[in-house]
Amino acid sequence: MKLSTVLCCYLLLLGLFAPEIISDSPPLQDVCPMAPQGERKLFMNGFFCKSPSTIMASDFKTLLLNHAGDLDNMVRSSANIITATEFPGLNTLGISMARTDIAVSGAVLPHSHPRASEMMFVHSGSVVAGFFDTKGKLFQKTLAEGDVFIFPRGLVHFIMNYGFGLATTFSVLNSQNPGVVGITHAMFAPDSEVAEGLMARMLSFRDMGMDDSSSVDSPWFY
């Protein structure tokens, strides 16, 4: 075998199996354009670490997920995401956490996390959870207490209460700053007629009992 052929094969294998450490780190901010040389100050893709001598056990404990959020709103739900900004012990660990509370007939409107996948655990109640892939196919399941569901990174997803009482879920996301892009709130006021129409249509999807083989138009097209 010619040396050039061996070298090409080696380079191909190196490209396929090169360790992650030689690739770029994923961004922790929405945007980060390079500053002109004269304007450069010290900014980081993340946060500075505390001095090792000042680290305490309390840095790794939080009470921010202990209580339900305010459900007195049009969508009858509350989502509280805890990142390294609110919980210093998460810094550099690549994770964040969230608590979601949904009243009867409430929902979490379609949104996405551009920097993280989400693993959701149903703590109490019953919910319908689903996401759309890039071809518009709906993956939706009814979840009971103790069930777990995955929302892949960057895909639009939603949650609806399917029971007769308060539903509570807890999630772990694989970024210390996952970001949230709210499809509806980015375009319309939360109390607008469009948002109300979206809520009604989402609840109709829930009542149709679609399974994960369903393929329908996106529910925020109203």
Side-chain angles (χ1 to χ4, degrees):
M1 186 179 293
K2 294 182 179 180
L3 180 60
S4 59
T5 303
V6 174
L7 182 59
C8 286
C9 292
Y10 175 77
L11 291 175
L12 178 60
L13 290 173
L14 182 64
L16 290 174
F17 300 104
E20 258 185 38
I21 56 173
I22 67 174
S23 63
D24 291 341
S25 299
L28 295 175
Q29 304 170 151
D30 289 333
V31 293
C32 187
M34 185 183 72
Q37 188 168 359
E39 299 179 13
R40 290 179 189 173
K41 298 179 181 179
L42 186 58
F43 291 96
M44 295 183 64
N45 187 29
F47 301 102
F48 286 109
C49 299
K50 292 179 67 174
S51 169
S53 62
T54 65
I55 295 175
M56 301 178 293
S58 59
D59 292 325
F60 305 98
K61 176 183 177 180
T62 183
L63 304 177
L64 295 175
L65 299 179
N66 279 16
H67 305 289
D70 180 15
L71 304 180
D72 186 17
N73 53 65
M74 189 272 291
V75 293
R76 298 181 287 279
S77 68
S78 171
N80 184 18
I81 298 180
I82 305 302
T83 68
T85 302
E86 298 83 22
F87 188 7
L90 294 177
N91 193 33
T92 75
L93 298 184
I95 58 173
S96 54
M97 303 175 296
R99 172 176 177 152
T100 302
D101 298 285
I102 312 174
V104 176
S105 296
V108 176
L109 295 180
H111 64 284
S112 65
H113 303 292
R115 293 182 290 273
S117 297
E118 177 180 353
M119 182 171 65
M120 182 186 73
F121 168 77
V122 181
H123 176 262
S124 60
S126 176
V127 301
V128 170
F131 64 87
F132 289 84
D133 67 12
T134 56
K135 296 180 180 178
K137 182 177 179 180
L138 171 64
F139 295 82
Q140 176 176 295
K141 294 296 287 184
T142 301
L143 307 174
E145 208 170 286
D147 289 346
V148 172
F149 195 73
I150 299 292
F151 300 119
R153 175 178 176 174
L155 296 186
V156 173
H157 56 278
F158 58 88
I159 316 167
M160 296 175 282
N161 191 326
Y162 194 60
F164 300 99
L166 178 69
T168 299
T169 70
F170 291 92
S171 298
V172 175
L173 301 96
N174 64 339
S175 170
Q176 72 177 49
N177 185 22
V180 180
V181 179
I183 303 301
T184 306
H185 292 173
M187 299 181 289
F188 310 106
D191 58 351
S192 69
E193 292 182 2
V194 174
E196 292 179 2
L198 171 62
M199 274 290 295
R201 187 165 184 188
M202 286 181 64
L203 292 174
S204 72
F205 274 104
R206 178 198 68 180
D207 296 336
M208 288 168 64
M210 296 179 182
D211 59 26
D212 55 0
S213 64
S214 304
S215 182
V216 297
D217 292 335
S218 301
W220 58 89
F221 292 165
Y222 172 75

